[in-house]
Amino acid sequence: EPEVTQTPSHQVTQMGQEVILRCVPISNHLYFYWYRQILGQKVEFLVSFYNNEISEKSEIFDDQFSVERPDGSNFTLKIRSTKLEDSAMYFCASSDRGRISPLHFGNGTRLTVT
Amino acid sequence: GIQVEQSPPDLILQEGANSTLRCNFSDSVNNLQWFHQNPWGQLINLFYIPSGTKQNGRLSATTVATERYSLLYISSSQTTDSGVYFCAIAFTGNQFYFGTGTSLTVIP
């Protein structure tokens, strides 16, 4: 069964550094998402991406965040200047028809900011 | 505003017991899914169920969209069922809203 893959599985970075989290969505999917989960809390929406542009974003997704689909397979989340409170599990997801089809999640990247 | 509420927040079961988890939501849904987050943090898709009833082995789910709730049934629970169960819902946009989760512990 096709799956969403995320790399790295764990990243440690120092406060103020830039990080790029990488995702390869399922190949025929058209809608892409980033979610995050702070330890012990619920899963929070960050951004959705369709047709090479952001379709929705949450209040969490401020100017320090950006997303990109640099080629036909990768989908990235960049955090420009990390803060301690950015420490979380970041999940990438994809679906083929947006809200009327199932979301498929990757295994997540655990980001630790020190 | 949009609300997705799950109950109970915590549940401890003896192995072999049955349980029902509930997800209440505040608006009409386009999409509802149930996920199991295992101890390694992975989100496992259990059911895509915007309406109706589905079964998969010991698990089944029912969504009554007109009454704005969904139920996840776990029968003959096993220790591997432990983890957090989330419902996630899409309403009008493409954003999926997650509930606060039910943390399940199955003890042998």
Side-chain angles (χ1 to χ4, degrees):
Chain A
E1 184 178 325
E3 58 181 29
V4 177
T5 57
Q6 290 187 242
T7 55
S9 57
H10 191 187
Q11 177 141 9
V12 180
T13 190
Q14 289 192 324
M15 195 167 50
Q17 295 297 303
E18 174 184 287
V19 296
I20 297 176
L21 309 182
R22 303 183 190 278
C23 170
V24 179
I26 294 173
S27 62
N28 64 337
H29 284 186
L30 302 177
Y31 294 80
F32 315 117
Y33 307 82
W34 284 101
Y35 284 78
R36 81 171 187 189
Q37 184 182 33
I38 295 171
L39 187 63
Q41 298 186 20
K42 69 176 182 180
V43 180
E44 301 175 291
F45 170 78
L46 293 178
V47 66
S48 61
F49 192 87
Y50 170 72
N51 200 25
N52 285 318
E53 61 182 24
I54 291 173
S55 54
E56 289 181 66
K57 61 182 181 178
S58 70
E59 293 177 352
I60 303 168
F61 194 87
D62 61 21
D63 290 345
Q64 73 161 338
F65 290 92
S66 62
V67 290
E68 191 177 34
R69 188 155 165 82
D71 53 41
S73 59
N74 291 284
F75 180 52
T76 62
L77 174 69
K78 181 192 290 186
I79 309 175
R80 290 189 179 84
S81 178
T82 50
K83 305 171 188 171
L84 294 176
E85 55 263 38
D86 293 327
S87 295
M89 179 78 94
Y90 288 81
F91 291 102
C92 174
S94 70
S95 72
D96 59 352
R97 292 177 294 154
R99 66 178 179 269
I100 59 171
S101 59
L103 271 183
H104 297 261
F105 279 88
N107 287 337
T109 293
R110 183 168 298 284
L111 177 66
T112 303
V113 182
T114 62
Chain B
I2 290 172
Q3 293 183 343
V4 181
E5 297 178 346
Q6 292 186 241
S7 61
D10 300 283
L11 188 58
I12 299 174
L13 295 177
Q14 199 76 41
E15 196 169 27
N18 303 327
S19 62
T20 301
L21 283 57
R22 187 177 181 102
C23 174
N24 291 333
F25 43 92
S26 59
D27 208 341
S28 302
V29 299
N30 279 297
N31 185 335
L32 190 149
Q33 288 179 256
W34 282 96
F35 292 92
H36 174 216
Q37 187 166 41
N38 64 22
W40 296 271
Q42 297 170 328
L43 287 167
I44 311 299
N45 188 9
L46 297 176
F47 292 102
Y48 167 66
I49 187 165
S51 64
T53 298
K54 290 186 177 179
Q55 180 152 9
N56 184 5
R58 296 181 296 103
L59 303 182
S60 64
T62 296
T63 296
V64 184
T66 53
E67 297 186 21
R68 299 185 180 169
Y69 72 89
S70 182
L71 303 175
L72 177 69
Y73 305 96
I74 304 173
S75 65
S76 303
S77 57
Q78 301 176 358
T79 55
T80 52
D81 295 331
S82 295
V84 183
Y85 290 80
F86 291 103
C87 60
I89 299 175
F91 297 98
T92 54
N94 282 315
Q95 177 179 166
F96 287 75
Y97 293 84
F98 275 72
T100 50
T102 292
S103 178
L104 174 65
T105 303
V106 180
I107 55 178

